[in-house]
Amino acid sequence: MRSFLLTITLACSHGLFAQAGFSLKDGDTVVFYGDSITNQRLYTTFTEAYVLTRFPNLNVRFVNSGWPGDQVDGGAGGPIDVRLARDVFVYRPTVVTVMLGMNDGRYRAFDPAIFKAYSAGYEHIVKALRENTPNVRITAMEPSPYDDVTRVPQFDGGYNGVLTRFGGFVRELAAREHLQCADLNSSVVAMLLKANATDPSLAQQLIPDRVHPAAATHFIMAEALLKAWNAPAVVSAVEIDASSRMLRTAANTSVSVLPDDPVLAWTQIDAALPIPLERSSSKELLELAFSSSDFIDALDREMVTVTGLAPGRYALKIDGQTVVTHSADQWRAGVNLAEADTPMSKQADEVLQLIYRHNNLHWARWHIVQTSFETEKPPSLDAAMAALDTLEREVVAMARAKAQPKPHRYELVGVE
């Protein structure tokens, strides 16, 4: 046995990944604008969690400005120009996403007059954003679907047929005005079709009221947005030859193989964490959504490949904890750790919980304090909002600190 430590490092920083084409840049402020589906704070939270765990050193601020019932001309939160001034412009965003349409179609068959109002209102939003936030990058999102897949449509063509016509306008507007465009409809419909063929009863829970998606479905919506932003799939990727104990390849990670260890062992510090999966949601529903889509393969590849193993089964331990057991053939083909219960996934989940808290703080500051006292202002109102803003910034800093990668010891051991 060689008595030296064989160390090969091939690491990609967040900057290298960002240069490969990811849309968000250091210092960006992203405002999510929309109706109750945005106000659910789920696809927006999962998008934010992806960015923070994949690029832990990228400083991006996220603000959710969704309001239930909103249309292109505004709603209960105020007329559109009030909404934009109070809930968007004030944050000086560099990136704004817009998803509207579910309420604009009025839940009825296609009406040319309603469509005309929608298209004119959407164009007004784009114009106002550009006039009030110079150099803003706008992502126009085709509206998420009304569920006409797991339930019978209520009229010929179904309400989602109306939304897809609205989405066609959004796509055309994006091309004409040089906006980014994300299709949050067709990928969810494709997932629903596959899920419905697998388990019709469970599939109905993916959008339980036909309008507001469950958390599992919000992951698929986040995927559509992240794909539009050219999000990379790789968390990390390592290939080791067990027979020579040599590191063959590595991506977005630093690896030190330990040739003198009695078992095949190495230390690894990835530059990113896997996407935190919402484990408090229905596990069955998450599994159905993921198995009915390409979410994991498209966004969450945390790969370990080991060649040169003798036939048999091998358990991977990380920091002494057995996380997965596979055959030599499976290790040779490559194993994705992203869905496994690992120290990295637990760390990512802690990041997610802090992201939930900062978004809930912002919502409370905005809805319970700011907008509920717009006509009557108690003397301490400004101080209360400032204190909540400070608290939210502290929680965001905690999430960023929690997202920083840590070194881990990996061991691959044979099992009977």
Side-chain angles (χ1 to χ4, degrees):
M1 294 289 289
R2 290 165 291 180
S3 60
F4 59 89
L5 173 66
L6 174 62
T7 303
I8 303 178
T9 300
L10 184 59
C12 297
S13 71
H14 81 272
L16 291 177
F17 259 164
Q19 290 167 18
F22 186 55
S23 291
L24 300 188
K25 310 301 179 187
D26 198 57
D28 272 340
T29 293
V30 179
V31 172
F32 298 110
Y33 188 83
D35 53 31
S36 60
I37 297 168
T38 299
N39 181 68
Q40 284 182 278
R41 305 189 295 287
L42 288 172
Y43 80 82
T44 58
T45 290
F46 300 152
T47 298
E48 180 178 356
Y50 169 92
V51 175
L52 185 51
T53 54
R54 193 60 49 93
F55 306 112
N57 295 315
L58 198 65
N59 183 19
V60 179
R61 182 188 184 193
F62 292 90
V63 180
N64 185 302
S65 287
W67 197 293
D70 245 19
Q71 302 179 34
V72 292
D73 59 353
I80 185 61
D81 291 325
V82 170
R83 282 273 284 126
L84 290 174
R86 184 192 61 213
D87 305 332
V88 180
F89 303 154
V90 70
Y91 298 107
R92 299 179 182 177
T94 55
V95 177
V96 176
T97 71
V98 180
M99 188 174 70
L100 293 165
M102 182 63 74
N103 302 308
D104 295 88
R106 313 283 178 83
Y107 301 93
R108 64 182 71 166
F110 182 80
D111 183 320
I114 290 175
F115 176 76
K116 183 178 179 180
Y118 176 74
S119 57
Y122 210 118
E123 288 175 337
H124 171 76
I125 291 171
V126 171
K127 181 181 179 183
L129 286 170
R130 284 181 162 165
E131 288 177 349
N132 290 275
T133 52
N135 302 316
V136 68
R137 286 126 56 205
I138 302 170
T139 300
M141 300 197 292
E142 299 177 40
S144 60
Y146 185 85
D147 182 10
D148 284 329
V149 173
T150 72
R151 300 165 179 85
V152 177
Q154 295 169 318
F155 50 82
D156 188 34
Y159 187 57
N160 197 54
V162 176
L163 294 179
T164 56
R165 294 182 73 168
F166 282 25
F169 161 76
V170 171
R171 189 163 57 251
E172 180 275 327
L173 176 67
R176 170 164 39 99
E177 295 294 333
H178 307 290
L179 317 176
Q180 286 188 306
C181 186
D183 179 1
L184 272 68
N185 195 294
S186 63
S187 58
V188 175
V189 168
M191 181 271 290
L192 288 173
L193 286 166
K194 191 170 181 181
N196 195 52
T198 302
D199 189 334
S201 177
L202 187 60
Q204 287 194 351
Q205 298 178 35
L206 288 164
I207 308 181
D209 64 358
R210 305 181 75 158
V211 173
H212 299 95
T217 305
H218 275 269
F219 275 108
I220 311 307
M221 293 161 58
E223 177 191 356
L225 175 56
L226 287 163
K227 280 183 173 178
W229 286 347
N230 200 29
V234 174
V235 179
S236 62
V238 171
E239 180 180 343
I240 295 173
D241 179 1
S243 59
S244 64
R245 297 205 174 193
M246 291 288 293
L247 176 68
R248 297 302 183 190
T249 60
N252 210 38
T253 188
S254 174
V255 177
S256 299
V257 181
L258 308 175
D260 290 333
D261 202 285
V263 298
L264 177 61
W266 65 96
T267 60
Q268 183 170 326
I269 178 167
D270 296 343
L273 294 169
I275 300 173
L277 305 179
E278 181 47 274
R279 289 177 168 81
S280 64
S281 300
S282 165
K283 183 179 179 181
E284 276 190 313
L285 207 57
L286 276 176
E287 290 176 349
L288 181 63
F290 291 158
S291 65
S292 303
S293 70
D294 66 347
F295 178 89
I296 297 296
D297 194 55
L299 291 179
D300 210 16
R301 293 181 58 78
E302 189 181 18
M303 303 301 298
V304 173
T305 302
V306 183
T307 60
L309 291 169
R313 291 180 62 76
Y314 295 83
L316 178 67
K317 294 183 177 182
I318 302 178
D319 300 336
Q321 169 194 342
T322 299
V323 294
V324 287
T325 301
H326 292 292
S327 69
D329 287 344
Q330 288 171 305
W331 285 112
R332 183 172 62 251
V335 172
N336 188 356
L337 300 182
E339 290 184 281
D341 185 13
T342 66
M344 299 81 75
S345 68
K346 290 174 181 175
Q347 182 184 350
D349 187 64
E350 292 172 354
V351 175
L352 176 63
Q353 299 311 313
L354 288 167
I355 292 173
Y356 275 132
R357 292 176 196 175
H358 102 73
N359 281 309
N360 289 340
L361 278 169
H362 171 75
W363 188 92
R365 183 260 197 212
W366 176 34
H367 278 267
I368 298 175
V369 181
Q370 181 184 4
T371 58
S372 64
F373 289 105
E374 284 185 317
T375 56
E376 303 175 293
K377 290 193 174 183
S380 62
L381 181 66
D382 290 340
M385 290 194 296
L388 287 170
D389 288 340
T390 298
L391 180 58
E392 185 191 357
R393 285 194 297 269
E394 291 172 351
V395 175
V396 169
M398 291 168 63
R400 181 161 288 110
K402 183 68 71 174
Q404 298 307 307
K406 301 176 181 178
H408 299 282
R409 175 184 168 86
Y410 291 62
E411 302 173 48
L412 197 65
V413 297
V415 296
E416 293 187 10

